[in-house]
Amino acid sequence: MSRTFVSAALLILLSTPALAQMRGEGVFERSDLNKDGTVTREEFVAARADHFAKLDRNSDGYIDSNDVPERLAKRRKQKGGSDGMAGQFDADGDKKVTKDEFVNGPTKLFDRADTDKDNVLDATELAAAKEAAKAAGDNWRNRKRQ
Ligand SMILES: [Ca+2]
Ligand SMILES: [Ca+2]
Ligand SMILES: [Ca+2]
């Protein structure tokens, strides 16, 4: 009974958009702006502007530690990451990520998914990326359980 409750609670937690975003799930679906089933690099970058607005939870024009839920920040530290967004996107090192820095930032997620390097994620590549994100999530869940 309590075990079921815990699993259900965990499932809800893991389905929250913020957590899903951190794992890269759903990012590409949302990036397919013209809904043709593929995501070009242009679409991916354009979708970031929208993505930024969601991450900037207090709408002050920056993504900084105030916008990162504490439990996510902790999880990143445990994984040996730096202070989250700052490391990857903070081009001028002021610990804040502006919209410009975010939109023009590295596209690691895209690069990793674009296995044939043609700057377009086709259906096969999108499916593979989704599987990889799911596997990463499962790994994390399994580790938590041990
Ligand atoms: Ca598209
Ligand atoms: Ca900055
Ligand atoms: Ca490709």
Side-chain angles (χ1 to χ4, degrees):
M1 155 83 192
S2 77
R3 204 192 152 96
T4 312
F5 172 76
V6 170
S7 310
L10 198 63
L11 200 68
I12 291 163
L13 196 70
L14 289 168
S15 328
T16 60
L19 276 163
Q21 261 167 23
M22 293 301 162
R23 294 215 314 263
E25 259 175 36
V27 170
F28 294 133
E29 277 95 334
R30 276 194 301 275
S31 301
D32 184 12
L33 300 177
N34 65 0
K35 305 285 172 215
D36 66 349
T38 66
V39 177
T40 62
R41 183 177 291 275
E42 283 75 19
E43 281 180 320
F44 182 74
V45 170
R48 276 191 165 176
D50 189 47
H51 196 171
F52 180 88
K54 292 198 185 86
L55 288 172
D56 181 17
R57 300 196 314 165
N58 61 4
S59 300
D60 63 354
Y62 300 101
I63 304 171
D64 58 20
S65 51
N66 294 325
D67 295 308
V68 180
E70 216 169 293
R71 64 169 191 273
L72 278 181
K74 254 192 213 157
R75 220 181 97 196
R76 283 178 179 225
K77 286 231 173 75
Q78 281 166 2
K79 286 171 89 178
S82 58
D83 309 335
M85 305 294 300
Q88 238 192 97
F89 291 99
D90 184 15
D92 62 5
D94 66 353
K95 301 279 182 213
K96 293 174 180 177
V97 176
T98 62
K99 189 170 181 174
D100 239 34
E101 285 175 326
F102 184 73
V103 171
N104 300 309
T107 52
K108 275 189 199 161
L109 208 60
F110 188 96
D111 300 339
R112 204 167 23 178
D114 184 19
T115 44
D116 63 4
K117 306 291 173 210
D118 66 349
N119 288 328
V120 180
L121 303 184
D122 58 28
T124 314
E125 285 169 335
L126 287 171
K130 209 170 169 180
E131 273 307 302
K134 191 170 166 290
D138 289 346
N139 276 343
W140 181 69
R141 263 172 298 228
N142 289 339
R143 230 180 298 145
K144 283 282 279 191
R145 227 177 271 137
Q146 282 163 10

